Amino acid sequence: MSDDPYALAAEAAAELRRRFAVDTLDLAFVLGSGWSAAADDLGEVLGRCSLAELPGFAAPTVVGHGGELQIVRTAAGKLAALFTGRTHYYEGRGVAQVVHGVRTAAAAGVRTLVLTNGCGGLNPDWAPGTAVLIRDHINLTAASPLVGARFVDMTDAYAPRLRELARSVDPDLPDGVYVQFHGPNFETPAEVRMAGVLGGDLVGMSTALDTIAAREAGLDVLGISLVTNLAAGISPTPLHHEEVLEAGREAAPRLRTLLAGLAGVL
């Protein structure tokens, strides 16, 4: 197995093509915390395997994340890879491991990537269960998946065209700026206030690093956050991960409708 993350992604993509007998893929969906129950209506499942069976992947360790890769034919006739879990930076496996799924998808031909996550919300009008389009992000992890002189424009990190398509499915979707912290601890009230001063609307522990790798590979990115709780200092109660999972369960019908609609127009 190669030590070069790009070669390893190409190796994983080749194994994916071989295992599922596909020449290329069109789309990829990464399902974050609270989103796994929303995958049922994306299309016809052509095959599935454990992520850990593919070169370079590790089984997700976070409760609420699945550990499968599914290949799906959408209602629009596109072939989509569905990752029902991700590696987080706080797991200590390195940035290359975090973005390995994105790079594998790109090496398999994917041009459009949908990244989802569960997050804390700073806007008190966004109740738990609200889906929010990511307009931009702030990366506070002090890390990047890019090593060396790899200069990538991040002006439109999240494609405006894809946000317009998402609103053709659900016109009421708001948008906001996502702030990625390192984790795994939840943010302090002071950190949440800082995120708001910087222009953030959502706080979480994923997505920004994936988006940087996706933009390097030339993918168009649609980011969608599920507000699972009000952030620390805004929420009247202490934060816990079960709250994240419960918000996902309660929002599952709307999220299924949203993802199924997206699969029909992307």
Side-chain angles (χ1 to χ4, degrees):
M1 197 177 295
S2 176
D3 292 332
D4 178 341
Y6 300 93
L8 184 56
E11 185 181 340
E15 173 59 19
L16 184 158
R17 290 192 186 99
R18 184 200 65 77
R19 180 178 292 239
F20 297 108
V22 296
D23 293 328
T24 190
L25 297 175
D26 304 299
L27 311 169
F29 294 80
V30 178
L31 300 188
S33 295
W35 286 83
S36 291
D40 297 341
D41 299 327
L42 281 177
E44 176 191 3
V45 178
L46 304 181
R48 57 181 41 152
C49 72
S50 167
L51 281 171
E53 294 176 25
L54 297 174
F57 282 90
T61 63
V62 181
V63 175
H65 280 252
E68 273 195 339
L69 169 68
Q70 298 178 15
I71 303 299
V72 175
R73 190 183 306 280
T74 71
K78 301 287 183 68
L79 285 180
L82 176 62
F83 296 88
T84 67
R86 58 156 53 97
T87 295
H88 295 79
Y89 187 42
Y90 59 71
E91 294 177 51
R93 296 171 172 169
V95 185
Q97 180 73 63
V98 170
V99 303
H100 181 58
V102 171
R103 285 176 171 159
T104 296
V110 166
R111 296 291 88 197
T112 300
L113 175 67
V114 180
L115 295 171
T116 68
N117 62 59
C119 71
L122 276 66
N123 186 337
D125 293 331
W126 294 345
T130 301
V132 180
L133 300 174
I134 300 176
R135 182 177 70 249
D136 203 347
H137 75 231
I138 299 171
N139 175 15
L140 294 184
T141 67
S144 170
L146 310 182
V147 178
R150 297 176 179 271
F151 305 114
V152 177
D153 178 41
M154 298 294 289
T155 303
D156 286 319
Y158 301 88
R161 174 184 67 85
L162 297 183
R163 293 203 301 279
E164 290 177 12
L165 281 176
R167 287 201 173 102
S168 74
V169 175
D170 185 345
D172 296 327
L173 286 168
D175 63 32
V177 175
Y178 180 89
V179 183
Q180 180 176 351
F181 285 83
H182 185 292
N185 54 287
F186 290 112
E187 304 77 22
T188 68
E191 288 167 340
V192 170
R193 289 195 299 273
M194 176 189 71
V197 169
L198 293 176
D201 304 291
L202 308 157
V203 292
M205 306 173 194
S206 68
T207 304
L209 297 175
D210 304 78
T211 298
I212 295 168
R215 294 303 299 143
E216 181 199 20
L219 276 59
D220 288 335
V221 179
L222 175 64
I224 315 175
S225 289
L226 171 67
V227 176
T228 57
N229 53 268
L230 293 174
I234 301 172
S235 171
T237 59
L239 306 183
H240 51 85
H241 189 60
E242 179 56 36
E243 191 175 28
V244 174
L245 303 181
E246 180 60 27
R249 286 191 289 268
E250 292 184 358
R254 185 185 181 201
L255 299 183
R256 274 200 302 271
T257 299
L258 175 59
L259 288 186
L262 286 172
V265 298
L266 292 177

